[in-house]
Amino acid sequence: MSAPSAQPHIQHRSCNICEAMCGLIITHDGQDVLSIRPDPDDPLSRGHICPKAVALQDFRTDPDRVTRPLLKRGTDFEEISWEAAFDHAAERIRAVQAAHDRDAVGVYLGNPNAHKFANLLNLPALVKAIGTSNRYSSATADQIPHHVASIHMLGHPMLMPIPDIDRTDFLLIIGGNPVVSNGSMMTAPGYGRRIDAIKARGGRVVVIDPRRTETAERAGEHHFIRPESDAWLLMAMLYVILSDGPARLRHLEPLIDGLDRLNAAVAPFTPERAAQATGIGAHSIRQLARDFAAAPRAACYARMGASTQSFGTLCQWATNALNIVTGNFDREGGAMFTTPAVDYVGMTSRRGKARSYPERRSRVSNQPLYNGEFPVSVLAEEIETPGPGQIRALVTVAGNPVLTAPNGRRIERALQGLDFMMSLDIHVNDTTRHADLILPGTVALEETVYDMVFHTFAVRNTVGYAPPIFAPPQDNPPEWEVIARLTAKLTGANQIGPTPDQVLAVLLAQGFHGESVSLAGLQQTGRPLDLGALVPNLAERLETPDGRLDLAPQAFLDDLPRLLASGDRHDPARPFTLIGRRQARSHNSWTQNSPRLVKGRNRCTLEVNPADAARLGLGEGDPARVTSAAGTVTLPVEITDAMAPGVLSMPQGWGQKQGRLTAATRTETVSINDLTDDSRTDPLSGNAAFNGLPVSLHPA
Ligand SMILES: Nc1nc2c(c(=O)[nH]1)N[C@H]1C(S)=C(S)[C@@H](COP(=O)(O)OP(=O)(O)OC[C@H]3O[C@@H](n4cnc5c(=O)[nH]c(N)nc54)[C@H](O)[C@@H]3O)O[C@H]1N2
Ligand SMILES: Nc1nc2c(c(=O)[nH]1)N[C@H]1C(S)=C(S)[C@@H](COP(=O)(O)OP(=O)(O)OC[C@H]3O[C@@H](n4cnc5c(=O)[nH]c(N)nc54)[C@H](O)[C@@H]3O)O[C@H]1N2
Ligand code: SF4
Ligand SMILES: [Mo]
């Protein structure tokens, strides 16, 4: 940290709000930010940023920010000292466990943790100190199907195929909108420009989405698809390709098992049947499959729309299978595996450790547990349902499940029945207002940034490190230290462990570039470094017990009858299908308190196809009432032919109603998760099936 001075200081740092890791140039005077600009020399983002980067300064100066430990007194909070807060937290956690059992304390870790390496390094010890198996995170409202596909096929949840978009000739995007979201499980800032580059070199980008998205517009080729029918499309593409000729497994051939089983599995998925399920014509499916297979280098990428739905895991499996049988797996321009400076896969290697999956099942509704976490879809019922293992206290760290988990208001009601709740957070919001104790977190500019997770998903190997710019308010400890001190209080240790920088130095030395990348070197140059394009390496990296790659794991084959039976699910009482969308000026549920981002018209609107609107007599801006099995919301209609008929789109992350968020609550918005249904999951992974929600629509 620099002392206040008249001379502006300059820092190069990557933005850690979303997965894109855009390079920023920040000028400041030690007291205030003077400017936040894109870094044209960043080897990954090459000058791209989005409107949220400039808001990084607002998170620090947000007048609604929690800056002291807060203890609930009656219906309000009073400030207490850090020492009193740690004592109270440890005492209450242990009291609940003493009265019941260790699992009586649940833990929920939210998305911002994935962007804070110091939290990632310290949270496992906290969870271990609490000693509960009732662990939850936002991952099961997001990407667990990707991990489950990787576990069963490649042996490690984080060994993740990444589309090598800078060298591909054919990119097939299913259920992702990276032009707005800036990419996920695929760190690729400046997506629009990267799409333009594919087209400029004679390649094609095709988007499959029930909404003609900003990405579809940029790509120029788009097919509407019926929500939740993507696995049908993928299986039919495999059917066409495997009927046309032998699979091209290339260098992976000696390692691959299960091609016969895959061939047998795709047999029922003819393009004609898939056309009925998806709404995409059989001819188009055949053509798409043949074009993909014929492209010199092709990559299929399936994301949120294809993961947070009832067939999420089948989609991710079939996506991998499509890339594999067309010879595009672990190959330039196809789906590749990163070699980042911190080797996340290596440091959590599962080699030689045979495991059975799912690791466990949940107590009340038998949902699967992967990666040591129960699906967030079962959180409410695990709080509500008596018996051994019932959750009676909850610790949240940077999470807002009331707004972000399916049927969030049920979770909210459940929270009110807890014996104790504590949150490490920056806001008193719809979730944390139910806590008995809130510990303040630190925000990006007060922390060291090093991205431990998203380099693992990046389309190019790069590395960057930047120290904190500003001190936390009120002499507060940095967030990682809060986690470490709470852990020490629980274990009775009289000191906390090594600093995140000390651990990072070791991890960098052990990583793929340990020869050339060191913490001291990064600190000295103060600039992100390019570590080069992705290289084929899967043969040495497979983490399966037998070192082989199974194209057709039994768990996935066993789920195919469910897909085959999924044809017509029309419900006359709820004839519309609701899907979600992301928006450029917000990130999940927590950036809406930046006046700079939230200003302007109400963007929490329901997108409706013109024919549907006309039939119901709904005009532009009219309030519409949307009802699902879980609830009802009313919001203004936006009429657009970007929506497929019968499908409605609503943005996620809105509906801040409670707490102390003055800017966020200025506009009347609603939460999509007042509608989503926690009984809808992908049964293979337990992931929430947000998309494809049956709803009714009426003028309000
Ligand atoms: N601006 C902004 N950026 C963000 C975020 C944010 O909140 N705001 N959140 C970040 C996070 S945490 C994540 S995980 C990523 C997610 O990044 P993306 O995966 O790109 O997520 P979305 O933008 O929600 O795009 C999902 C797409 O799936 C489509 N879809 C819905 N249902 C279906 C279906 O059944 N089939 C198909 N084929 N498509 C369907 C939707 O219409 C939508 O276009 O974004 C990250 N980036
Ligand atoms: N219907 C529907 N629901 C969805 C999605 C969808 O597309 N549709 N997307 C899902 C996805 S992909 C995700 S990742 C989840 C996200 O789900 P969550 O992780 O539960 O939600 P966030 O909105 O990221 O909330 C982050 C919380 O962390 C706090 N916070 C922000 N910054 C910091 C910080 O620096 N330190 C601390 N301690 N706290 C901080 C915020 O105040 C907020 O309480 O939502 C999921 N929910
Ligand atoms: S795209 Fe993501 S990483 Fe880049 S500036 Fe925006 S929020 Fe930050
Ligand atoms: Mo996410």
Side-chain angles (χ1 to χ4, degrees), residues 215-251:
T215 304
E217 296 284 359
R218 194 87 175 225
E221 294 188 61
H222 167 242
H223 296 276
F224 282 123
I225 190 167
R226 209 161 283 150
E228 298 197 295
S229 67
D230 308 272
W232 270 98
L233 172 68
L234 286 157
M235 292 300 281
M237 289 179 70
L238 285 163
Y239 172 97
V240 172
I241 291 166
L242 293 172
S243 314
D244 280 356
R248 276 175 298 157
L249 305 178
R250 296 187 197 264
H251 66 296

Side-chain angles (χ1 to χ4, degrees), residues 325-569:
V325 302
T326 54
N328 285 300
F329 214 55
D330 188 40
R331 170 171 176 248
E332 287 175 15
M336 302 194 74
F337 297 85
T338 59
T339 47
V342 168
D343 177 12
Y344 204 98
V345 175
M347 70 192 234
T348 54
S349 175
R350 296 191 174 185
R351 278 203 189 156
K353 296 178 193 146
R355 302 190 188 204
S356 60
Y357 299 102
E359 294 148 32
R360 269 178 77 173
R361 290 198 171 265
S362 70
R363 185 176 66 104
V364 180
S365 63
N366 211 34
Q367 291 279 339
L369 175 147
Y370 276 93
N371 294 351
E373 286 179 19
F374 291 108
V376 69
S377 293
V378 307
L379 178 59
E381 67 184 23
E382 291 291 336
I383 298 174
E384 291 163 356
T385 313
Q390 179 186 6
I391 298 176
R392 295 158 189 274
L394 186 70
V395 176
T396 72
V397 181
N400 193 3
V402 171
L403 294 189
T404 62
N407 201 351
R409 296 295 161 192
R410 179 177 174 192
I411 294 181
E412 175 158 53
R413 288 190 296 276
L415 296 182
Q416 291 164 41
L418 290 171
D419 294 345
F420 175 66
M421 173 173 165
M422 67 162 282
S423 297
L424 172 51
D425 209 286
I426 57 172
H427 284 144
V428 180
N429 60 24
D430 295 67
T431 296
T432 61
R433 77 188 184 97
H434 298 288
D436 302 290
L437 177 67
I438 304 179
L439 303 182
T442 36
V443 297
L445 300 183
E446 298 157 1
E447 297 183 334
T448 300
V449 289
Y450 180 86
D451 215 308
M452 218 162 72
V453 171
F454 298 104
H455 285 298
T456 310
F457 301 154
V459 298
R460 189 174 180 88
N461 291 314
T462 64
V463 63
Y465 168 96
I469 298 179
F470 302 107
Q474 312 234 30
D475 285 330
N476 285 340
E479 186 163 327
W480 71 265
E481 197 182 307
V482 174
I483 298 167
R485 282 170 63 182
L486 179 58
T487 307
K489 189 61 84 178
L490 284 164
T491 59
N494 50 23
Q495 61 184 46
I496 61 175
T499 67
D501 275 6
Q502 287 168 331
V503 180
L504 179 61
V506 173
L507 293 175
L508 286 170
Q510 293 169 347
F512 285 105
H513 307 270
E515 304 278 290
S516 53
V517 177
S518 68
L519 181 60
L522 290 174
Q523 285 168 330
Q524 206 182 355
T525 37
R527 293 285 186 114
L529 304 178
D530 189 18
L531 302 173
L534 306 187
V535 288
N537 58 30
L538 188 62
E540 309 92 71
R541 311 248 340 253
L542 281 173
E543 293 253 333
T544 45
D546 58 3
R548 303 184 58 78
L549 191 168
D550 190 358
L551 250 181
Q554 195 57 41
F556 304 163
L557 300 181
D558 289 345
D559 201 31
L560 288 174
R562 190 174 63 92
L563 179 63
L564 281 164
S566 69
D568 183 18
R569 295 188 300 152

Side-chain angles (χ1 to χ4, degrees), residues 273-289:
R273 288 186 75 183
Q276 279 180 0
T278 60
I280 303 176
H283 174 75
S284 300
I285 294 175
R286 281 205 172 78
Q287 197 62 50
L288 183 63

Side-chain angles (χ1 to χ4, degrees), residues 15 17-18 20-22 24 48-50 52-53 182:
C15 174
I17 298 173
C18 87
M21 306 193 294
C22 297
L24 309 176
H48 174 80
I49 54 167
C50 85
K52 291 188 289 297
N182 291 285

